[in-house]
Amino acid sequence: MALAVPGAGAQAPASGGDELLAKARQTYAEQGAQAALPEFEAALAAFRAAGNGRGEAITIGLMGNCYKRLGDYERARQMLEQALAMKQKLGDRAEEGRTLSHLGLLFWEMGDYPKATERLEQSIEIARKIGDRQLEGASANNLGLVNDEQGDYESSLKNYRHALELHRAAGFERGESDALGNIGGVSLLLGRYREALEYYQQSLAMGERNDLKPSMVQDLGNIGFCYLGMGRLEEAQAQFERALEMARKAGMKKEEAELHKGLGSGLVGLGRFNAALEEYAKALRVYEAAGLKREWVEGLSDRGAVFLMLGDLLSAEHDFTTASELARSIGHARGVTANLLALGDLEAKRSRHERAAALYRDVLERSRASGNQDLLATSYLRLTQALRQQGDTKNAMASAKAALEVARNQSAAPTESEALLLLADLLRRQGQLEPSLERLSEAEKVAGTIGNPELNWQVQYGRGQTLEALGREEEAIAAYRRAVEIIESVHAQLQEDRYRSGYLQDKSQVYVALIRLLLKQGHSGDAFFFAEKLRAQGRLAPLEGGAAPETSQRELELRLRIRRLRQAIEEETAKGSQFRQRAAAVFSAELQAAQREYQNLLDDLRRGQRSGPVAVAREDQIRQSLPADAALLEYVVTRDAVLIFVLTRERLRTTSTKLPVEELEARIELFRDLLGRRKGGQWRAPAESLRQSLIDPVEAGGGLEGYRSLYLVPHGVLHYLPFAALARATDSGARFLVEDYDIQYLPSASAWATGAGAQAVDGRLLAMAPAQARLAFATREVEDIRASFPGQARALVGRRATEGSFKRLAGDYGIIHLATHGFFNKINPMFSGVQLEPDAVEDGRLEVHEILGLRLHAGLVTLSACETALGSGYFSEVPAGDDFVGLTEAFLEAGTTSVLATLWQVNDRSTSQFMTDFYQHLPAKGGAALAAVQRRMLASPGRYRHPYYWAPFVLVGANRDIQGGIPAEKAPGRP
């Protein structure tokens, strides 16, 4: 929006400062506040020396405007109020009116709309009484700015047009330029991009003709926003960059921030998310520091949308909620509406489609009432998506058509493309396949003019689905492949750990569709390759280089703050009263904010330190690396079936089982719950049904005959299934899978072929059992395990088992054993971890984000704790696709070859015995050692033979042989 400068053309008072003031005004108009401020100070000194009070008052007021431009709002307010008092004392009504108008603008920028309105109406009243058209036009223009922010576009247009009429009558071209720009601004806010562009171009031409650089900066930025709305991203970027250069030279802080935000939006459209977040951060720092509440609202909303796209729901919710509360506090109607829409998107991401639809309908009504076409079209789109998820195809179709109509009327290419995509999908679901393809072709044409990768992969995926339904399967495969290429080109640019898998959460469906169709066509090798690529995209390569980056002062400060907040929460919770619970809630909110800031800092420190995506091995390379007696089973869970790749040294074959994903999840949850009861045999029915679905198809026809070891690569909910406890009924009772095979889990098949586990591992042991875990048998467990490593073990128990010791020593040991508790943070899984002892620097919580920053060289890490194999997604709202934030994945990505962990809370006494037995079976293949102990417990008398006690232990990773320990007893064979 262009704000009008009241009285910019007025004559200076007759005194010695006349020429200095005139020059300062010219500098301000042409170069901006930073260049003009020293000249205004020189004029002020001259007026004071000459005793010219009127000149002094005018100059102080203009200096206040400079400080406003530079973002120093408190100093600007003081100077403007000082100037107002001086002018009122002088009885200069014209100057009084100008200063009131400037104060109105200041309060507008600060988000204090009632004060802004009061000052501007006072200025208009004075202007009318003294017949000053220029002043009246400027104040009417500025009152329109306030109307805009309150969503009263009818009043703002009325004021802008009145201002335009007054300025044209007075021959004041700069005021005319401001009014034209602001009329364009209303069109921009309402999503009328072509109309807005015409107004801004007229305004820009006037600014260029008069060399008014501040005005030109605003117009160039707004033209950039018009191009963004029309999908012309490269042209938008060019306008923003030109405007940014001018703004920096002129010291226009607010405008520079707005341009950074605009650049961020353009970069999002190009799929360059890291760069976009950097631009948003630059803008938000300026808004917050300067108290620009309205702009802060909009910047938070825009950044939250990027977090949502990347799957960082916690950060998105924080930004949307903060923006919504701030918008309500200042009466910013458009900000309230935009954040209701954003919160609807968040609910949709969490699959709460009814809640999302209710929010979208609210936004729809608000947008209709305000005439905001941009939000109207977007709310139609989002409502379409929610209705589609609820199965309401008829109303979804009507909503999509309405979105398309609005988008086309406003030349909003991104929105038009989204609407066409939704219509194509709805037509496909109704069996109208050729019309669906026609809509996709239209969407592809529009998306092609934008260059937005998010739209382009969706077009290709939709085309693949429709072509597949038409039986044109080779064409469908080609479309799916193009979609994957686009997704991976964006994914490769993501540098932050927490975004890499989050970005893929709603895109794994593309890989699954391609894999399924390749298998149908008999291209099993290609299908397996893409199954591996799907897994590789969600993983991280280890950090490169030697030592981790040195700890910064800011990092230490945040760690200390997080520790103090945790202590405060514990203290307040222990006090028990309702008042104290409220205090704990406040501390919890502060803790989440501190954790988020700490994670951002770590992302910055690690950026560029990872070597890139995890390598994908060739099928023949994987098969050749397998032992002769081993079979590798890789699973892919689809909507209605489980696909299974079976690799042996001799060949690759595939099979599948019909099993809807909802039923699979229900069976696994039931199985785990029944095992948790520890008594009785109710678990047998789900154990047998799951084996029939997941193992029997592979064993059919002797498919696993002669194979001793199974390497399992799970997918989705299968990560949480204790395969060892899957059973088949025999005459003598249930026979478990672990009785037939040695079982080991892998994060991917490629991990076996390319992992560091191809060679034997150093057998020296580091074992730790902290006192804080309060596990009665943990110390004994560590001491018994150390006895299995004579002269090769270091044990730290009680208060000596500190987090600092772990970080200092862990990189030097081949085997690491932690007998302690795991803890999980469902809100921010990067802060899940294991409990150790605090020390002078560390808080005793070894968290996922810290593990990811370590350089480990261990062949085995044993997490003798509770639920340490779980990622972030087990039966929770946090997506299971975020596997890398699980403790197991964190240790693997830090350089460990394999991890022994647990799938549920384990018994302290039985775990102690289990671990001692496990290490006594080394050296051996990891899977064989684990299976030997599980078979021994299964064969033992008493309660520990129940699968609850031995089935949760899983070995994950590619390690083959672990040296150290005493010679293993011969494991029992399979009958």
Side-chain angles (χ1 to χ4, degrees):
M1 290 297 187
L3 48 90
V5 181
Q11 294 298 313
S15 76
D18 289 0
E19 291 183 5
L20 290 173
L21 182 59
K23 185 174 181 296
R25 277 177 157 160
Q26 184 178 357
T27 301
Y28 179 88
E30 294 177 356
Q31 299 178 45
Q34 190 164 287
L37 195 55
E39 297 182 11
F40 280 122
E41 289 172 345
L44 179 62
F47 285 130
R48 282 176 173 167
N52 187 331
R54 184 170 183 273
E56 182 182 352
I58 291 172
T59 307
I60 289 172
L62 293 173
M63 289 174 68
N65 289 338
C66 287
Y67 285 114
K68 174 168 65 67
R69 281 283 191 182
L70 294 172
D72 189 345
Y73 291 105
E74 181 54 30
R75 192 165 184 182
R77 185 188 62 78
Q78 291 172 0
M79 298 195 82
L80 285 168
E81 289 183 346
Q82 180 185 353
L84 178 63
M86 293 173 70
K87 292 174 181 180
Q88 287 172 335
K89 188 174 181 179
L90 289 167
D92 191 329
R93 296 288 281 166
E95 282 299 325
E96 180 185 354
R98 292 185 184 102
T99 304
L100 283 166
S101 188
H102 286 305
L103 274 167
L105 279 176
L106 175 64
F107 287 123
W108 166 73
E109 292 201 7
M110 295 172 68
D112 191 339
Y113 303 133
K115 285 184 181 178
T117 301
E118 181 184 0
R119 301 301 188 275
L120 289 166
E121 287 177 346
Q122 288 172 352
S123 177
I124 291 170
E125 183 181 357
I126 290 172
R128 286 174 178 164
K129 285 181 178 178
I130 65 175
D132 189 333
R133 288 188 173 186
Q134 186 175 321
L135 174 59
E136 183 182 351
S139 298
N141 178 86
N142 296 336
L143 184 57
L145 297 175
V146 181
N147 298 144
D148 278 344
E149 300 311 322
Q150 295 175 310
D152 187 358
Y153 302 122
E154 184 178 349
S155 295
S156 66
L157 277 174
K158 181 180 177 181
N159 280 312
Y160 293 145
R161 287 176 177 140
H162 181 52
L164 182 63
E165 180 184 341
L166 289 167
H167 289 315
R168 280 178 173 165
F172 182 37
E173 193 169 68
R174 182 177 175 191
E176 186 179 348
S177 173
D178 290 340
L180 283 168
N182 288 334
I183 294 170
V186 175
S187 298
L188 180 62
L189 283 172
L190 298 178
R192 302 168 185 164
Y193 303 113
R194 278 185 295 189
E195 181 181 304
L197 184 60
E198 292 175 7
Y199 283 112
Y200 286 133
Q201 287 172 336
Q202 290 180 55
S203 178
L204 178 63
M206 291 181 179
E208 289 174 333
R209 190 158 56 243
N210 294 284
D211 197 27
L212 304 175
K213 288 187 173 59
S215 176
M216 290 166 63
V217 166
Q218 289 184 322
D219 289 329
L220 285 167
N222 286 325
I223 288 171
F225 283 117
C226 289
Y227 284 138
L228 274 182
M230 298 166 73
R232 295 158 63 175
L233 301 183
E234 291 184 3
E235 293 170 272
Q237 277 195 280
Q239 299 295 324
F240 287 133
E241 286 167 3
R242 182 184 169 196
L244 262 174
E245 185 179 356
M246 293 178 67
R248 288 190 193 104
K249 290 179 180 178
M252 300 171 67
K253 295 294 184 183
K254 176 194 169 188
E255 286 77 7
E256 187 178 344
E258 287 286 282
L259 293 164
H260 279 301
K261 184 163 74 76
L263 260 177
S265 300
L267 290 164
V268 168
L270 295 171
R272 295 169 56 189
F273 298 113
N274 292 101
L277 287 171
E278 289 174 9
E279 295 296 330
Y280 285 129
K282 291 174 186 176
L284 287 167
R285 281 195 292 270
V286 174
Y287 297 149
E288 185 173 5
L292 293 170
K293 295 178 182 178
R294 181 188 68 258
E295 289 80 3
W296 194 6
V297 166
E298 293 168 0
L300 285 167
S301 299
D302 289 349
R303 188 178 66 175
V306 180
F307 284 137
L308 189 66
M309 192 180 300
L310 293 171
D312 187 352
L313 304 192
L314 178 66
S315 296
E317 185 171 27
H318 173 268
D319 278 359
F320 294 150
T321 303
T322 303
S324 184
E325 291 171 356
L326 188 57
R328 289 182 192 280
S329 73
I330 63 174
H332 182 11
R334 188 175 188 277
V336 172
T337 304
N339 282 283
L340 284 172
L341 180 72
L343 289 168
D345 292 344
L346 188 65
E347 294 295 337
K349 196 82 168 181
R350 289 170 167 163
S351 298
R352 301 171 182 170
H353 301 296
E354 288 188 13
R355 293 189 193 180
L359 285 164
Y360 294 146
R361 288 189 178 98
D362 190 355
V363 173
L364 200 61
E365 292 307 313
R366 288 169 178 263
S367 302
R368 282 193 188 121
S370 67
N372 189 316
Q373 299 298 296
D374 187 18
L375 281 174
L376 182 64
T378 305
S379 56
Y380 270 130
L381 283 177
R382 299 296 182 265
L383 181 58
T384 301
Q385 293 167 339
L387 292 169
R388 180 182 60 181
Q389 290 294 332
Q390 293 175 287
D392 188 353
T393 305
K394 180 181 177 182
N395 285 318
M397 184 73 76
S399 183
K401 288 178 179 177
L404 181 61
E405 181 181 357
V406 176
R408 283 179 168 167
N409 287 339
Q410 307 310 317
S411 300
T415 309
E416 180 182 356
S417 185
E418 283 190 68
L420 288 165
L421 277 168
L422 283 169
L423 282 169
D425 183 67
L426 292 166
L427 288 166
R428 179 183 60 80
R429 291 167 184 249
Q430 292 178 331
Q432 300 182 54
L433 302 180
E434 291 297 343
S436 175
L437 276 181
E438 291 172 8
R439 289 297 195 184
L440 284 165
S441 295
E442 293 178 59
E444 185 174 25
K445 184 177 179 181
V446 177
T449 66
I450 303 170
N452 185 326
E454 286 301 297
L455 292 173
N456 286 324
W457 79 254
Q458 290 178 58
V459 167
Q460 296 304 328
Y461 177 53
R463 184 180 295 281
Q465 289 181 295
T466 307
L467 289 168
E468 185 177 354
L470 283 165
R472 295 158 59 179
E473 294 180 347
E474 291 297 336
E475 293 176 78
I477 288 172
Y480 288 143
R481 283 179 182 268
R482 286 193 294 272
V484 166
E485 288 171 5
I486 296 167
I487 290 167
E488 292 182 355
S489 70
V490 174
H491 187 262
Q493 299 178 47
L494 297 176
Q495 297 171 340
E496 278 80 358
D497 293 351
R498 69 183 190 270
Y499 297 149
R500 292 183 65 83
S501 66
Y503 174 72
L504 291 175
Q505 284 169 14
D506 60 347
K507 300 169 185 68
S508 61
Q509 58 187 326
V510 183
Y511 288 84
V512 171
L514 177 56
I515 292 163
R516 182 175 42 76
L517 190 51
L518 285 168
L519 284 176
K520 184 179 178 183
Q521 287 284 307
H523 306 308
S524 57
D526 286 347
F528 176 75
F529 174 75
F530 280 101
E532 281 292 287
K533 290 200 81 174
L534 171 59
R535 287 166 169 82
Q537 294 300 314
R539 301 191 66 219
L540 301 170
L543 292 170
E544 292 185 319
E550 290 187 12
T551 303
S552 66
Q553 182 61 38
R554 183 58 181 150
E555 187 175 352
L556 289 173
E557 289 173 4
L558 283 168
R559 284 187 190 177
L560 182 59
R561 183 182 174 207
I562 289 169
R563 181 188 294 192
R564 287 173 176 168
L565 286 167
R566 284 176 176 149
Q567 291 171 346
I569 291 169
E570 291 173 4
E571 291 169 3
E572 296 295 339
T573 303
K575 292 173 183 176
S577 70
Q578 185 178 355
F579 174 78
R580 292 300 179 182
Q581 291 298 320
R582 288 199 297 270
V586 172
F587 286 128
S588 295
E590 288 296 313
L591 176 61
Q592 289 180 31
Q595 289 176 339
R596 191 163 45 249
E597 185 177 351
Y598 187 37
Q599 183 59 53
N600 290 336
L601 176 64
L602 293 177
D603 286 341
D604 291 339
L605 292 173
R606 292 179 191 158
R607 186 172 298 164
Q609 286 189 293
R610 297 200 184 273
S611 58
V614 175
V616 176
R618 301 185 312 274
E619 172 209 331
D620 59 346
Q621 183 183 358
I622 296 168
R623 288 196 293 102
Q624 290 167 15
S625 69
L626 288 172
D629 67 344
L632 186 151
L633 277 57
E634 181 157 328
Y635 293 88
V636 176
V637 177
T638 74
R639 185 176 59 255
D640 53 11
V642 178
L643 312 178
I644 311 171
F645 296 91
V646 185
L647 278 79
T648 62
R649 184 176 286 184
E650 294 77 24
R651 62 175 179 151
L652 163 66
R653 64 189 179 92
T654 63
T655 185
S656 65
T657 182
K658 291 287 185 184
L659 185 59
V661 65
E662 295 85 0
E663 185 179 340
L664 175 64
E665 291 173 350
R667 286 194 202 178
I668 293 174
E669 184 169 13
L670 176 63
F671 183 35
R672 289 171 57 98
D673 287 347
L674 293 175
L675 285 175
R677 298 179 185 180
R678 309 186 194 189
K679 294 180 180 180
Q682 290 178 305
W683 52 266
R684 290 184 180 177
E688 291 172 4
S689 71
L690 284 164
R691 175 161 180 160
Q692 288 167 9
S693 297
L694 302 173
I695 300 297
D696 287 2
V698 182
E699 289 183 324
L704 291 180
E705 189 171 344
Y707 293 100
R708 175 68 180 176
S709 299
L710 289 186
Y711 301 127
L712 305 177
V713 185
H715 180 226
V717 72
L718 294 178
H719 282 99
Y720 310 113
L721 175 65
F723 275 85
L726 300 187
R728 56 185 170 88
T730 68
D731 292 341
S732 58
R735 182 169 182 83
F736 296 97
L737 192 67
V738 72
E739 296 182 82
D740 295 335
Y741 307 100
D742 300 337
I743 298 170
Q744 191 165 334
Y745 290 61
L746 297 171
S748 69
S750 297
W752 179 264
T754 62
Q759 51 193 346
V761 174
D762 171 13
R764 292 183 303 145
L765 169 75
L766 172 66
M768 302 179 75
Q772 287 214 12
R774 294 183 175 84
L775 295 171
F777 294 89
T779 299
R780 175 181 168 183
E781 176 183 321
V782 166
E783 295 297 338
D784 288 347
I785 291 168
R786 180 167 63 173
S788 298
F789 294 79
Q792 300 182 75
R794 180 167 186 172
L796 299 175
V797 299
R799 299 298 178 190
R800 296 174 59 222
T802 65
E803 182 184 355
S805 297
F806 178 86
K807 289 180 176 178
R808 186 173 65 255
L809 299 171
D812 298 329
Y813 287 84
I815 302 173
I816 298 169
H817 183 94
L818 300 177
T820 183
H821 282 302
F823 54 86
F824 290 87
N825 186 326
K826 292 293 186 182
I827 296 174
N828 191 343
M830 294 293 282
F831 288 86
S832 299
V834 291
Q835 183 68 58
L836 294 172
E837 291 293 318
D839 53 32
V841 177
E842 307 291 352
D843 62 2
R845 296 165 63 91
L846 180 63
E847 294 168 335
V848 164
H849 64 88
E850 295 174 292
I851 298 165
L852 287 168
L854 297 175
R855 272 75 160 177
L856 301 179
H857 307 94
L860 173 67
V861 170
T862 297
L863 302 174
S864 179
C866 301
E867 298 179 298
T868 47
L870 293 187
S872 63
Y874 180 60
F875 304 130
S876 76
E877 294 178 359
V878 183
D882 227 7
D883 289 323
F884 86 89
V885 298
L887 287 171
T888 302
E889 276 293 317
F891 277 105
L892 292 173
E893 311 230 359
T896 301
T897 314
S898 60
V899 179
L900 180 61
T902 58
L903 289 173
W904 56 74
Q905 283 194 344
V906 289
N907 177 273
D908 183 20
R909 182 191 293 267
S910 65
T911 298
S912 177
Q913 182 59 51
F914 187 100
M915 290 300 170
T916 303
D917 288 351
F918 173 74
Y919 285 105
Q920 289 177 349
H921 282 79
L922 299 180
K925 292 180 181 178
L930 175 60
V933 181
Q934 289 177 320
R935 291 170 191 143
R936 175 176 290 187
M937 289 188 76
L938 180 57
S940 67
R943 61 175 180 161
Y944 291 162
R945 66 180 301 171
H946 191 282
Y948 163 80
Y949 294 98
W950 54 262
F953 298 98
V954 293
L955 185 69
V956 185
N959 204 19
R960 301 175 185 182
D961 295 292
I962 304 171
Q963 302 302 317
I966 63 175
E969 297 179 15
K970 186 176 180 182
R974 182 166 48 132

